[in-house]
Structure formats: structure tokens, C-alpha cells
Amino acid sequence: MALLFLGFSAGLPFLLVFSTLNARLADVGVETATIGFFSWLGITYSIKVFWAPVVDRVKLPILDRLLGKRRSWILLAQAGIATGLYLMAHVDATAAPEMMAICGLLVAFSSATQDVAIDAYRIEIAEERLQAALAATYIFGYRLALLVAGAGALYLAEFWSWQVSYEVMALLVGVGMATVLIVREPTVNHFAAAQDIAEKIQHEAGKRTHLNPRLARFIGWFYAAVAGPFLDFFRRYKELAILILVMVAVYRISDIAMGVMANPFYLDFMGFSKTQVADVTKIFGFFMTIAGSLVGGVLVVRYGVRKILLTGAIMTAATNLLFVVLAQYPPNIATLALVVSADNLSGGIANVALIAWLSSMTSAAFTATQYALFSSLMTLPGKFIGGFSGIVVAGFGYGEFFLVAGLMGIPAILLAWFMIRKGDRLDALAPRNEAAEDESRRSDQAKP
């Protein structure tokens, strides 16, 4: 239940600084070129790894003592989101677009920070076998929030005003804030491994007599906070580390690249109306994605995360090929619904498996930073390649584009199969297994 409401809190601000904000700006007469610049707000979600070490290592005054590390950071981020949305509600975008951009940046930065803290909370609150179920529930809450911040915000703006719409959205941030105050803090030692690194670096720095002791301590802290998460990951997985990161980077390329051209394909090429596209892809597609997430959660628990990771990669590439078939025939709403169903169902399964797999590889001492690295890699390559999708469509056509998008899923399939082959070794290197062994050794040493 906690992850359901925290997922809602994470998803709520996303569209309010993207498509919903773009609709608002266009509706009030802001120039198209200016609207394009607002898309840069999304960069904050892709670079959150740069300040994730602060979320991992810094204790917030007062709040940390009252709530604990993870809950205090989530609550602070939610306060930033609510403040930014309320200010956006009262800014005249035509008269002061710069102020709207600043308020939007506050929302986006706070939202990305909240994502870092919630991901860490989710990973630390339960053992590995429950991560898929937690991810499925989180995705359900997230998708529900996208409906509220998308269609819900537009309805409010249509019947009342954009000011009322954004005020209501700011009020709904209270759902996540109430959740944070109710749930318990994870009982995880965030500092053990990081503190060991910090002390070693401080000791080495202290040997340099020209360095001030305070500077030596800061160097140790900074090294543990920034370099520690990456050193821990590469030390743990050694030569497999690069392949794991490549796997993370390519797993969603096929899905993301295809998604860029989906709406133009439905509207311009197939000739469906906006209402038909909304009904099939937004409403019906929403429930199919949720179904896929729930099925994925059950399958991961039943068969293990790596097998479902491979299944999700195969299904994602295969459903892209269904769009190749769809492009060869006249528009048919039933066929569209069938293809969209398969696409969203496979996407839900693949996404849950990927989140559960990445969660299992994060170290308790660096949860926020390591998962932020993974989540940034998850989307950056796909977004970059997706930028060239229009060129491919213009030069070759939609059928050829979807074929290329499907073929881009082959590296993910091969790497997922490789991870299954290396399953025993990956299990032995898993952070939680290592932590359990360390705890067992300490327990044995304490015995008389």
C-alpha cells in the first residue's frame, strides 16, 4: 500500500512539467518556439545521478531525526513539488514565461529528487523476492497519477481554469506527504561500507602533512559519497559490470524509440481520430500496462527475475514487429486495440522485471546513487536514438521504422540470455547475499 501511494506521488508531477504544461502554454498563446525550450525541464530526470550521492549521504537537519533518512528526503522533495505547482498555478505564462520556467524547474528538480529517494526506499523496505511485487504496485500508482495529471488536469482546465487545475494538483501532493508520515523507515545500515571507504581515504589523505585535518575528512566523505557507489559496483561485479551497464542501456531502446513515432503513426499515417487514439492508447492501454505489470510481478516471483527479463525483451521486440504488420493494412480500430494491448502488456512485464533486477544489484550503502545510475542509463540511449526516428520515417516509411525498432531489441535479448547463463555467479555477487554473509561471520565471531 505504501508503494501504491508513493508511486502516485512520483507520477503526479511528471506530466505537469511535460505534455500537460505544453498544452497549457499552447492554450494561452505562448509561441511554439518557446514551448520547445520548456522540454529542457526533462533533462533533470536524466541527470539525477549527479545529486543522488547527496540524497544517499547527507542527513537533513531535524527531519532526519524525526523521520529517518529516506522519508525525510521524500518529504522535502514533496514540499518542493507542492510549492512549485502552486506557484505555477498563479504565474501568467504569456507575461512571464521565464518565471513559469523557474517554477517548472523547481517541480522537475524536486520530482527527480523524490524519485531517487523513493527508489531507495522501495529497495530497502523489503527483501529481493518482493521487489517485483513492489515494482508492480509502484507502477500502478505511477500510471494512475499520469491519468490524473494528464486527462484529469485537462478536464479541470476545460471546466474551470488552469489556475484551478494546478492548485488541485498541488493539493494532491498531500497524498504522498501523508503516506510518508504514516509508513515506517527502512531498517538498513546506509553507512557501513561507505564509512569504511571514507575512513581509508581520510587516513591516506592525513599522511599528506600539508593537508588540513578538516580537508582530509571532507576528501574522505566526498570520495565515499561520489566515487564510493561506482567503486563498489565495479569491485563487486568486476568484468561483468560493463556488460550489466550495457544491458541496462539497451534494454528499453526498442520500446522508447518506437514510442516517439507512435502518435504520429496513429493520427497522420493510419488516420485515426484523436478520440479513438485516446480511448485505445490512453484508457485501454493504461489497463493493459497495469495488467502486464501485475503479471510480470507474479512471473518474477514464480520463475525468477532473469528468465522474465529475457521474456520481456523478446516480447518487446516482437510487439514492435506487430506494428510493421499494422502499417500494411487499412485502419481498423479492433486491430489497433489488439496491437496496443500486446505492446502495453509486454512493456508492463519487461518494466517490472527490469526494475526488480536492477533493485537486486544495488548495495545497501549506496542504494540511491547506484539505482539513479541505472535509471538514468535506462532512458538516455533510447531518448537520444529516438530523436532520429523522424528522419527514418521520412526517408523510408513507418513499416521500415518499426522493423528497425524491433531489430534494436536483439542486443537486449542476447544480453538477457547471457545474464541467465551467468546466473549462479551473479547470485553469489549479489549485495544482499554478501551482506548476509558478513552478518553471519560477525555473529559467529561473537559466539563464545
Side-chain angles (χ1 to χ4, degrees):
M1 291 302 295
L3 266 295
L4 173 66
F5 293 116
L6 289 177
F8 180 88
S9 182
L12 186 68
F14 186 76
L15 292 184
L16 297 175
V17 292
F18 285 109
S19 60
T20 300
L21 177 59
N22 291 344
R24 174 181 177 177
L25 297 174
D27 188 47
V28 299
V30 175
E31 293 182 359
T32 305
T34 303
I35 294 175
F37 290 128
F38 275 84
S39 66
W40 288 347
L41 293 173
I43 294 175
T44 53
Y45 290 90
S46 297
I47 62 173
K48 59 188 177 184
V49 66
F50 291 114
W51 65 88
V54 177
V55 179
D56 244 345
R57 300 293 298 156
V58 173
K59 293 183 177 182
L60 295 174
I62 303 175
L63 283 177
D64 185 88
R65 188 174 68 254
L66 295 175
L67 300 174
K69 174 179 286 295
R70 299 309 180 198
R71 290 194 300 157
S72 62
W73 273 104
I74 296 173
L75 188 65
L76 178 64
Q78 289 168 341
I81 294 169
T83 301
L85 291 176
Y86 181 80
L87 292 175
M88 290 176 74
H90 294 271
V91 172
D92 184 347
T94 54
E98 299 88 354
M99 182 56 66
M100 179 65 79
I102 292 172
C103 296
L105 181 61
L106 172 61
V107 174
F109 178 80
S110 299
S111 177
T113 303
Q114 179 186 225
D115 288 350
V116 171
I118 290 179
D119 285 333
Y121 177 88
R122 173 180 52 78
I123 294 167
E124 294 168 357
I125 199 65
E127 61 268 30
E128 182 182 338
R129 69 181 183 86
L130 295 177
Q131 287 300 318
L134 293 177
T137 312
Y138 174 85
I139 291 172
F140 176 68
Y142 195 98
R143 292 284 178 174
L144 191 63
L146 293 184
L147 274 184
V148 172
L154 292 175
Y155 283 133
L156 287 171
E158 179 70 22
F159 291 108
W160 282 278
S161 67
W162 283 111
Q163 178 179 330
V164 171
S165 177
Y166 270 72
E167 284 177 343
V168 171
M169 296 300 118
L171 187 63
L172 287 175
V173 178
V175 172
M177 300 178 83
T179 304
V180 170
L181 296 175
I182 293 172
V183 300
R184 63 183 175 89
E185 177 75 4
T187 54
V188 173
N189 183 354
H190 307 284
F191 294 99
Q195 190 61 35
D196 289 343
I197 295 174
E199 290 175 355
K200 289 177 183 177
I201 300 301
Q202 180 183 335
H203 177 71
E204 291 298 320
K207 293 179 180 179
R208 279 68 175 174
T209 56
H210 63 282
L211 288 179
N212 183 285
R214 290 184 179 180
L215 180 59
R217 283 196 298 272
F218 174 77
I219 292 173
W221 178 90
F222 182 82
Y223 194 84
V226 178
F230 306 101
L231 287 175
D232 174 81
F233 177 76
F234 282 97
R235 177 188 62 80
R236 186 183 308 282
Y237 291 104
K238 300 180 176 62
E239 76 279 0
L240 292 178
I242 297 296
L243 286 176
I244 290 171
L245 293 179
V246 173
M247 167 77 169
V248 175
V250 304
Y251 191 78
R252 293 196 60 200
I253 280 183
S254 176
D255 180 36
I256 295 174
M258 188 283 294
V260 174
M261 284 290 111
N263 280 336
F265 172 69
Y266 302 143
L267 295 168
D268 298 336
F269 184 79
M270 298 298 291
F272 292 109
S273 68
K274 294 183 180 66
T275 302
Q276 288 175 316
V277 173
D279 289 342
V280 173
T281 65
K282 301 300 181 184
I283 306 300
F284 184 66
F286 164 78
F287 290 104
M288 294 308 298
T289 301
I290 297 306
S293 301
L294 295 176
V295 170
V298 173
L299 291 176
V300 168
V301 173
R302 177 66 178 82
Y303 298 104
V305 66
R306 282 184 287 272
K307 290 181 180 179
I308 306 307
L309 202 66
L310 174 60
T311 303
I314 294 172
M315 292 178 67
T316 299
T319 51
N320 277 349
L321 299 181
L322 291 179
F323 283 92
V324 178
V325 178
L326 187 63
Q328 310 306 314
Y329 294 94
N332 183 291
I333 195 69
T335 307
L336 176 65
L338 181 64
V339 173
V340 168
S341 297
D343 182 56
N344 288 7
L345 191 69
S346 64
I349 292 173
N351 205 26
V352 164
L354 181 61
I355 291 174
W357 183 59
L358 298 181
S359 301
S360 70
M361 291 190 296
T362 58
S363 171
F366 311 105
T367 312
T369 305
Q370 288 183 350
Y371 193 86
L373 169 66
F374 294 148
S375 59
S376 296
L377 274 177
M378 260 196 301
T379 56
L380 270 177
K383 287 180 179 179
F384 176 76
I385 292 175
F388 300 100
S389 58
I391 298 175
V392 178
V393 170
F396 300 96
Y398 279 102
E400 290 76 5
F401 166 72
F402 291 128
L403 176 61
V404 171
L407 294 176
M408 284 194 294
I410 293 177
I413 295 172
L414 295 176
L415 284 169
W417 174 78
F418 178 79
M419 294 304 165
I420 291 177
R421 294 287 302 272
K422 297 293 183 180
D424 290 342
R425 187 176 176 201
L426 289 171
D427 288 339
L429 298 174
R432 299 197 177 198
N433 286 352
E434 187 176 279
E437 292 172 5
D438 290 343
E439 184 64 31
S440 177
R441 282 195 297 269
R442 284 194 294 270
S443 178
D444 291 342
Q445 291 170 0
K447 291 178 181 178

